[in-house]
Amino acid sequence: GRIHQDIEGVRSSLRKERRDSRMMVYKSINVLVALLTLCQTCHSEGSIGKHNGIRLINGFIKNEGLVELQVPETVNGTELGLQWVPVCVSKPASPAVGTVACRQLGYEAFANFYEAGYFGSSKGLGAAINVTNCSGNEGSLLSCVHQSSCSPENMLAVLCAKNGSLRFNNSTQSNHSGLVEAYSNGNWSNVCH
């Protein structure tokens, strides 16, 4: 009798804990879906992607991709017009470079770098620009220290952010796993605490 009641009490308590745990997971998923919806809304505002002589290409959403700059094309000292050229960075890439690129594109913040090759290759036809040093305060990547040599494995690919944007943040530099963070009012913070 008494042992049977104790066992049933423990079972009942365990079932309640499992239900509560499932409810927490469901609530977390609902929060994440709401944030993703908000994020998609904020990315569909306007045409950020090609702006101020800079653009992101090959991204899956407007705020990510390979970085290209528009620069004068010259042949034998004669300017022929403008052309798009790929941008490279010295490894390891400094977050200051990402900050300048994202700001020049019209975004509020830099979120993450992508590994070289993630978005394929650049469409730019000119000689690549290798950004070697930025303080983070420059208004343009061309204001950073740069040179004209670059290797394809150093192509600059970024994820930029506006209020409501999400990112994975972890120590392995992967954009596909980690803690989910949301960008709001100048700060990144965990979605679930």
Side-chain angles (χ1 to χ4, degrees):
R2 174 92 176 121
I3 293 175
H4 181 61
Q5 285 177 336
D6 289 344
I7 291 173
E8 282 304 313
V10 169
R11 283 183 180 159
S12 176
S13 178
L14 288 174
R15 281 192 296 268
K16 182 182 180 329
E17 285 180 26
R18 275 188 270 166
R19 269 194 316 270
D20 290 347
S21 293
R22 280 194 299 258
M23 287 306 294
M24 281 297 276
V25 169
Y26 294 139
K27 286 179 183 178
S28 296
I29 289 170
N30 287 335
V31 167
L32 188 55
V33 167
L35 285 170
L36 286 170
T37 302
L38 174 65
C39 183
Q40 291 305 316
T41 308
C42 84
H43 293 310
S44 64
E45 298 172 0
S47 61
I48 296 176
K50 188 162 89 171
H51 186 63
N52 293 331
I54 188 171
R55 69 181 179 184
L56 295 174
I57 63 160
N58 300 350
F60 300 105
I61 53 179
K62 290 180 183 181
N63 63 320
E64 68 179 8
L66 289 171
V67 178
E68 289 186 339
L69 292 175
Q70 194 172 37
V71 297
E73 178 183 10
T74 57
V75 175
N76 298 327
T78 303
E79 190 172 313
L80 302 177
L82 296 172
Q83 66 179 343
W84 290 101
V85 298
V87 176
C88 296
V89 291
S90 301
K91 300 287 181 178
S94 163
V97 174
T99 298
V100 173
C102 290
R103 184 183 315 115
Q104 187 177 354
L105 281 157
Y107 289 98
E108 295 174 20
F110 161 70
N112 271 324
F113 289 112
Y114 285 95
E115 291 297 317
Y118 184 76
F119 295 112
S121 59
S122 172
K123 296 175 184 165
L125 301 174
I129 293 175
N130 186 359
V131 177
T132 58
N133 188 20
C134 286
S135 69
N137 297 318
E138 295 87 353
S140 162
L141 285 176
L142 291 175
S143 299
C144 298
V145 176
H146 62 279
Q147 56 192 31
S148 61
S149 64
C150 180
S151 59
E153 64 270 6
N154 290 343
M155 295 290 230
L156 178 60
V158 297
L159 172 64
C160 298
K162 292 186 100 167
N163 271 340
S165 292
L166 299 176
R167 73 174 180 185
F168 286 116
N169 188 16
N170 65 23
S171 59
T172 64
Q173 297 299 320
S174 168
N175 289 309
H176 310 292
S177 64
L179 295 173
V180 178
E181 292 183 329
Y183 184 78
S184 178
N185 300 321
N187 296 304
W188 289 101
S189 57
N190 291 338
V191 172
C192 299
H193 297 285

